[in-house]
Each structure stands twice: as structure tokens, then as C-alpha cells.
Amino acid sequence: MLALRCQMDTPVALDISLEVEGLSVLLGRSGEGKTTFLRALLGLLPARVEPWGHLPTEQRPLGYLPQGYRLFPHLRVWQNIAFPMRGGDRRQAALELLERIGMARFAEQYPAALSGGQQQRVALLRAIARKPKLLLLDEPTSALDPQTRDEIIAALSEESAIFSIPLLVVTHDVSICAAAQRMAILQEGGIQAVGEPAEIFARPPNPQAAQMLGMENFFTGRIEEKLSQQEYLVRIHSRRLRATGMADHSPGEEVILGIRAEHVLLRHAKDTDAENLIVSEAVEWHRQPLWQRFVTAAPFSLRGRFLAQDRSDPPRTLYLQLPAEKLLLWKKR
Amino acid sequence: MKRIGSSRSLSLEAPLLLFSLAILAILIAPFSEMFFGLDWQHLEFAPNDLHAIRTSLVYSGTALLLCVLLGTPLAWWMARRRYRWSPIVDALILLPLLTPPLALGILLASFFGPYASAGEFLSHWGLRLVNTAPAFIMAQVYAAMPYYVLSARAAFEGVPTDLEEISHTLGKSSLETFWLVTLPMARNGLTAAIALAWVRAMGEFGVVLIVAYYPMGIPVKIYQNLEDIGLSAVYPLLWVFFLVAIPLPLWIRLRSRRQVPL
């Protein structure tokens, strides 16, 4: 595990402490300073950085894959990969690296002749060729179609293992987190949450992070009663629902509640004894090849979706269950 | 979309071709005198013409080398380091371009002449900068270097700085980055700058006339031939001038084009 620290005031105020291993993801919206953080680690921007902060850029043992990959257009593929190498048979060493990812036949091409995905893999090899202790990747999946994106993520994770170099990916693309060993959320210049992706997806630290992770439904409510260590009875509009939160809330406190669209369960009319059941009118139905999505009327304006197996006409009146362990609550700031 | 685009360019192609050829013809027309105004039966060189050719080639070559060696770092600095006072540097480099060549020659003669302090200082070290080979080369450098620096700066500005940063992240020092990334990527622009500096140095008349009438290069010799002998002594030398001056820029351009398109 490698511990990173970065503090800076301009152009963005950042104070980031982060531990990376395997494939780690730093998730943040555009403009949060993700690229700035990487550039500071690399020594391309002035900042207080640990480790290697005292070294000039060219001596920091970091590999960097920028957005757009930035291969040298005047060099052939093998020359791009051999660029950071010194001494010995650089051509042979570059060819061996290309061989390992099955791209040896492109060695004599110029970057302009490669596809986006191929350029990225060459850029990754070029960064690996300098034998870094950590690889930094800036939005590696932006500008890729979903299928290529999944392939790239799989390839990244595989190549990290092949070359046994930890990878730090900064991105706003939530889907990369699924392949990651560790993830962190960057918000307002600092790390808001850090841990395994499954933990963070299950319990995002705040509504903003939850929204970034794809949660769509949010409401405000007031705590009526603390039921157990992490269970609360909350009044939302005229309904009382059971919800899950941290241990530090007290009755009377105003809170924000949230639930992911896929966690909203569609029930039959006869399941009236189900917990946290809401009856609402559907105002929108969207049929997509894989999903059926719906939006319900106020005051419980809920977005839900389920796998589109049932081809019959969607009902107007919906019986919806919000499972208590999936209905999360946070302090209202 | 593509069809619309190509049909539009087709409809423009013929007029554009005619227009371009017409302008080129107008530019080239005076040079027809070199064919028709010349008495091809009695073609001969004036005395010392060959000496002038040698002088021009050797000294212009030296001047070009100096322009590249001294001008390249300056051009890179101007392209990459921007200060609040950078516009003043930009204006200063235009000054020798703006100055009429004759006036620039007079300024050089006044500054580096034997009675000026700079000239006196240099002559102590055995460097006389009036009517000597070094004076000839200096005059050509003053005439050609601003053109070289301006073109080379534009060439360097065309190299994306993020590629230079990538080179640093790949372990290369600033000097290595300049050599491996900046220079090759600015290649096309730099060769154009070299070609421009070469033709400026070869063709320079006004500055050289004042500072280094001797050793006599081709432009001054053409002037002397016209004065002493007449038109018949001008054209043969002019022919040779073109024949020796054109191949270098042509060769450099072709060489740089033959490599990877950037």
C-alpha cells in the first residue's frame, strides 16, 4: 500500500491523503481538481506532495497516462514505448512489451494509424516502460463507447497485475469502480470517503457522493424515533418509514433520505403488510430494451426501474416498497 | 456531407487554379528578362565573378550557421517563456527588420567601426568589423537572424507543451526533451526558417554594401558589374546566383517533407 499526500492552494485548493493498491479509483466530478491532483503529484504544478515531492518531474518514479493519451506523433509505436528506456537494446525491449499485450504487429506504425483504444494501450506501455512505482491515469474511459470502456477497464486491471504496478485512476466514470480494489471520493478539495467500492456504494458518506454514485431518489424528512444503533423511524410528508443511517442522529433532527432507483421494489396490491409501502400514481413510463423506468407523482416523486421481462401494459397505480436497509439517511447540512 | 463538400471545392477549383497561376505569372514575369534580355551567344563572366560566388557561398553558410546556433535558443525562449515584458522583446526583434537595410548598415558601421567604442574594443582582440570577412558575415547575420528567429519561434509555438511535459514524466531532462520532442516536432517550421534565413543572407545588399563592400559577395558584385560594365555583366552572375542559392532551401524542404507528416 502506497500513501500519497498533496496540499495546494492554487489553482484549486486541495488537501488529499490517499492510500493506493492494485487498481484504485479516485472519483470526482469535473472541476473538483482531479487532473490538478495528478499534475501536482507529477511535479508539473507547485504543491506540497509526499512522497517524491522534493524531486523534479523527470526523477519521480511515476507513470502518467493523460487524457487523449498524447503519444509522440513523430515516433513509431515501438519508438514511443522505447522513449523512456535507456541503454541496451531499446527496440528489442519495446517489442517484448508489445508482444505481451499482443500488439507486436503495430510496432512500425505511427500513432495516427491506431484506434483510440490501441493508442491508449501503447501510451500505457510507454508509461510502464519507465518502470514506475505507481501509474497515474487521467479519465482513461472518457471518449470511449461503453463496450470499449469495459474492455479497457478489464485490460487495465489485468495489466496492473501483469506488470505488478499499482494504478491510480482519476475519473468521473462510476463504472470503473466495479473493477477497483479501492476507491475514494474527491469532493470540495478533500477525500470524503475511502474504502472498498462495495462498502462505499452500500453506504455513501453524503447525499452528494450518493448522487455521484448513481442514486436518483432524495427526500427530506424528520427523525421520530431511534429504533436501534443504525435504524430510525423517519417521517417523510405524511408517511413514517424505517431507514438506515449512522449512529449519531437524534429524534427531531431533519435529515436527507435517499434510495437507488433499482432498490425501489414494485409490489402487488395484495402485499399490504409489506414494510415501507407507498402507493403512488405513475406519471411517466419509459420502456427501454433492458429496463422499464417509471417516475411517480408528488409528494413521493420516485424514480424506479426493473428488468423489462414483463411486456404487458404498465399499471397506473404503483405499490412500491422502499426496503429499510436500502433507504439511507444523512444529516441535512 | 462529403459529396456536398467535394462538389463545392470542385466548383471553386478551376477559378482558384487560374487565379493562382495568374498571380504566380505576374510575380515571375520580370525574370523572363534573364532569358530574353541575355545575349546567349556572347555569354561571359566579368573578372572576379567566381571569387564573388565563393565569397557569398562560404560566408553566407557561416552566417546561416551562426543564425541557427544563436537564434534557435532565443526563438525557443521567446516561444516558451512568457513574461509581462515579452511584448517588448517581440518589438525589439522587429526593429532590425523594420530598419531600411542601408540605415541598418550605417548603424552597424557606426557601432562597430574603428572609431566607435565597441569597434575599438573588438579591434584590441584583433577583430575588425569593417570591410573584412567577419564584417561581411556580421552584416548577413543582422539581416537574416530576425527572420530566422521569428519563423523558428512560430515553429516552437506549434509544438504542444503537454507533449514536452509527457517527456518530463517519462524521465527526460529539459535538454533531452528539447532534442527528442521539441526539435523534431518543430522540424517543418524550422526548415522553413533556415531556408528563409539562407535566402536573406545570400541576397542581402544594403547592409553589406555599407559594412563590407569588400570582400565582395554576389549582390555587391552585381551592383559593381552594372556600374563598370553594364547589363551584359549582370545576368550571367545572376544566373549563377540562383543556381547556387536555390538548391539548399529546396533540399532542406524536400528532406523534411519526406519524413513523417506531423
Side-chain angles (χ1 to χ4, degrees), chain A residues 80-140:
Chain A
N80 263 283
I81 292 167
F83 189 87
M85 298 176 179
R86 287 181 195 274
D89 192 347
R90 294 162 64 244
R91 187 185 147 85
Q92 191 54 40
L95 288 178
E96 276 167 22
L97 280 180
L98 276 168
E99 196 79 57
R100 284 169 81 168
I101 61 160
M103 280 187 66
R105 65 185 185 282
F106 297 103
E108 299 297 330
Q109 306 261 27
Y110 285 98
L114 304 184
S115 73
Q118 290 167 336
Q119 286 190 23
Q120 185 178 45
R121 305 190 75 193
V122 171
L124 194 69
L125 280 194
R126 181 180 65 176
I128 286 170
R130 100 159 279 203
K131 299 195 173 76
K133 295 207 166 83
L134 172 66
L135 260 176
L136 307 172
L137 292 86
D138 194 352
E139 299 280 10

Side-chain angles (χ1 to χ4, degrees), chain B:
Chain B
M1 283 305 284
K2 202 170 178 189
R3 254 181 50 204
I4 295 170
S6 59
S7 69
R8 183 188 296 163
S9 62
L10 256 183
S11 68
L12 265 176
E13 188 132 348
L16 195 62
L17 180 71
L18 281 177
F19 176 81
S20 306
L21 288 178
I23 297 294
L24 266 175
I26 292 169
L27 281 176
I28 297 299
F31 292 85
S32 61
E33 279 302 304
M34 290 183 57
F35 288 96
F36 305 120
L38 191 54
D39 183 1
W40 290 92
Q41 307 297 313
H42 305 96
L43 200 61
E44 59 178 346
F45 283 119
N48 290 329
D49 270 4
L50 289 177
H51 184 262
I53 293 164
R54 207 182 57 129
T55 301
S56 266
L57 274 179
V58 173
Y59 295 160
S60 299
T62 314
L64 180 65
L65 197 67
L66 283 172
C67 284
V68 173
L69 288 178
L70 305 175
T72 306
L74 175 62
W76 184 85
W77 177 77
M78 287 174 69
R80 281 291 180 260
R81 299 281 183 268
R82 301 307 290 176
Y83 303 98
R84 199 179 296 175
W85 40 269
S86 291
I88 300 174
V89 176
D90 296 352
L92 286 178
I93 202 82
L94 287 175
L95 208 58
L97 287 182
L98 176 72
T99 315
L102 209 62
L104 184 60
I106 293 167
L107 286 170
L108 285 180
S110 311
F111 190 76
F112 290 112
Y115 306 111
S117 48
E120 203 179 351
F121 174 78
L122 289 172
S123 62
H124 272 301
W125 298 88
L127 189 60
R128 284 188 55 245
L129 286 180
V130 175
N131 285 338
T132 58
F136 187 94
I137 292 166
M138 175 189 73
Q140 289 187 317
V141 167
Y142 269 88
M145 195 149 87
Y147 287 94
Y148 177 76
V149 169
L150 285 179
S151 312
R153 181 184 70 169
F156 286 137
E157 280 172 346
V159 179
T161 49
D162 61 345
L163 284 179
E164 294 172 335
E165 286 179 351
I166 292 294
S167 167
H168 289 303
T169 71
L170 292 168
K172 299 297 179 195
S173 67
S174 298
L175 204 63
E176 288 171 317
T177 296
F178 180 76
W179 193 249
L180 296 170
V181 178
T182 317
L183 217 49
M185 288 203 64
R187 190 187 60 227
N188 283 344
L190 287 178
T191 52
I194 290 174
L196 191 61
W198 169 254
V199 297
R200 279 309 305 146
M202 281 292 281
E204 183 51 45
F205 173 69
V207 186
V208 174
L209 183 75
I210 304 291
V211 182
Y213 194 93
Y214 296 103
M216 201 173 285
I218 297 174
V220 174
K221 189 66 172 47
I222 288 174
Y223 173 67
Q224 201 192 41
N225 285 359
L226 180 68
E227 292 277 286
D228 294 355
I229 305 168
L231 265 182
S232 64
V234 168
Y235 289 149
L237 190 53
L238 195 55
W239 265 110
V240 178
F241 178 73
F242 286 139
L243 290 178
V244 298
I246 289 293
L248 179 78
L250 215 56
W251 176 71
I252 292 176
R253 281 309 276 171
L254 287 177
R255 226 183 99 81
S256 84
R257 285 273 170 90
R258 220 181 306 146
Q259 293 180 15
V260 209
L262 290 175

Side-chain angles (χ1 to χ4, degrees), chain A residues 31-46:
Chain A
E32 284 283 1
K34 301 186 297 290
T35 301
T36 307
F37 169 58
L38 291 191
R39 290 173 60 80
L41 284 180
L42 288 160
L44 297 172
L45 286 174

Side-chain angles (χ1 to χ4, degrees), chain A residues 4 50 72 119 122 159 210 226 250 255 259 277 302:
Chain A
L4 305 174
E50 282 295 329
F72 299 117
Q119 286 190 23
V122 171
E159 277 150 23
K226 186 164 181 170
S250 44
V255 289
I259 186 164
L277 195 72
L302 273 169

Side-chain angles (χ1 to χ4, degrees), chain A residues 284-303:
Chain A
E284 284 178 40
W285 274 98
H286 302 284
R287 274 175 181 251
Q288 290 165 339
L290 193 59
W291 296 96
Q292 293 209 37
R293 295 168 178 275
F294 59 82
V295 182
T296 62
F300 267 106
S301 181
L302 273 169
R303 287 161 194 278

